[in-house]
Amino acid sequence: MRIVGLTGGIASGKSTVSNLFKSNGVPVVDADVVARDALKKGSGGWKKVVAAFGDEILLENGEVNRPMLGQIVFSDPDKRQFLNRLLAPHISSGIFWEVVKLWLKGYKIIVLDVPLLFEAKMDKFTKPIIVVWVDPETQKKRLMGRDKSSEEDAGNRINAQMPLDMKRDKADIVIDNTGSLDDLNEQFQKVLIEVSKPLTWTQFWLSRNGALIILASLTSGVVLCIKALS
């Protein structure tokens, strides 16, 4: 199967592109959704985070107060890295099983929507890698407008991530989202054509259909050997 990596930065428009893939019938594994599941009350990730950051990060219903936790870690690089280390095994495991489920359903192309694709070194499992890029000033303005945050808070959250220019340099495909939604959709249609091209032979053999052909061939070979020996 072809596993397409999709990443960007906060307020870059990555989620919009992710939704465009979904609306065009391409399944998306969203790391943010997996991360939310990893923090659900009673989960292994929840227990680790509460033990590390204390009960004060919990809401009355026992769920993690995600905005509060975000404020704590975005302003402190050490705490942010610590949180990432705590949750990384749970998120990686969740993503893996979501990919397996889609593989078993026979999908040949899926998209991994991962904000920390490069930081988590998950880029080595994806090809091509799509980066949704905007210039820093546009990114900050959109973030402040979306979250009603101060310039300082917006700057802290942006600076907590790998710069978009650096991600752009690592990308196979760059979507420039500094323009309108129509501009974005026009670029997306070209990207969709690119990622929908026929699988390479390697990708085909790693797909469910390829695996079934290999299994059928091995089974046939075993049957022939048994007949020859009987």
Side-chain angles (χ1 to χ4, degrees):
M1 69 192 310
R2 174 174 295 138
I3 303 179
V4 179
L6 174 64
T7 191
I10 190 169
S12 70
K14 176 184 62 63
S15 295
T16 302
V17 174
S18 181
N19 288 331
L20 286 171
F21 273 113
K22 293 175 189 175
S23 65
N24 281 272
V26 180
V28 175
V29 176
D30 189 334
D32 283 341
V33 173
V34 175
R36 282 195 288 271
D37 289 341
L39 269 180
K40 280 185 176 178
K41 182 181 177 181
S43 67
W46 179 89
K47 292 175 182 177
K48 288 183 180 180
V49 170
V50 173
F53 292 91
D55 292 342
E56 58 269 21
I57 65 166
L58 296 179
L59 298 168
E60 290 183 3
N61 63 4
E63 295 289 352
V64 172
N65 187 331
R66 293 171 60 86
M68 177 184 290
L69 181 60
Q71 288 181 344
I72 293 171
V73 300
F74 275 122
S75 59
D76 189 323
D78 291 334
K79 289 182 179 178
R80 185 171 64 253
Q81 291 177 11
F82 180 54
L83 176 64
N84 287 338
R85 287 197 299 271
L86 288 178
L87 292 178
H90 302 279
I91 295 173
S92 297
S93 175
I95 290 174
F96 172 78
W97 286 114
E98 289 299 316
V99 170
V100 169
K101 289 176 189 176
L102 293 170
W103 182 83
L104 290 172
K105 290 179 180 179
Y107 285 104
K108 294 183 176 63
I109 301 171
I110 67 169
V111 172
L112 284 191
D113 178 351
V114 186
L116 302 180
L117 185 74
F118 296 113
E119 295 91 329
K121 303 191 184 306
M122 296 186 70
D123 54 303
K124 58 187 176 183
F125 302 113
T126 62
K127 190 74 175 180
I129 296 170
I130 302 169
V131 169
V132 184
W133 178 89
V134 291
D135 64 85
E137 190 61 31
T138 300
Q139 185 181 19
K140 183 181 289 187
K141 285 181 179 178
R142 288 180 179 174
L143 180 57
M144 292 170 63
R146 188 191 73 182
D147 294 352
K148 310 302 179 187
S149 57
S150 66
E151 184 172 358
E152 180 182 1
D153 184 49
N156 286 338
R157 297 181 70 184
I158 291 171
N159 292 334
Q161 300 181 335
M162 179 186 292
L164 275 174
D165 285 350
M166 188 177 296
K167 291 186 178 184
R168 179 180 58 181
D169 292 341
K170 295 174 177 286
D172 299 304
I173 300 172
V174 177
I175 295 179
D176 184 339
N177 191 28
T178 54
S180 65
L181 283 175
D182 287 339
D183 293 334
L184 177 63
N185 190 57
E186 184 178 342
Q187 291 181 73
F188 172 78
Q189 294 304 322
K190 295 177 182 178
V191 171
L192 183 61
I193 292 172
E194 180 66 25
V195 302
S196 300
K197 289 180 178 178
L199 300 181
T200 65
W201 280 110
T202 300
Q203 291 168 336
F204 173 76
W205 293 121
L206 291 175
S207 70
R208 189 187 68 165
N209 289 343
L212 289 174
I213 290 174
I214 293 173
L215 180 61
S217 299
L218 290 173
T219 303
S220 299
V222 170
V223 170
L224 290 173
C225 286
I226 292 174
K227 287 184 176 180
L229 294 173
S230 62

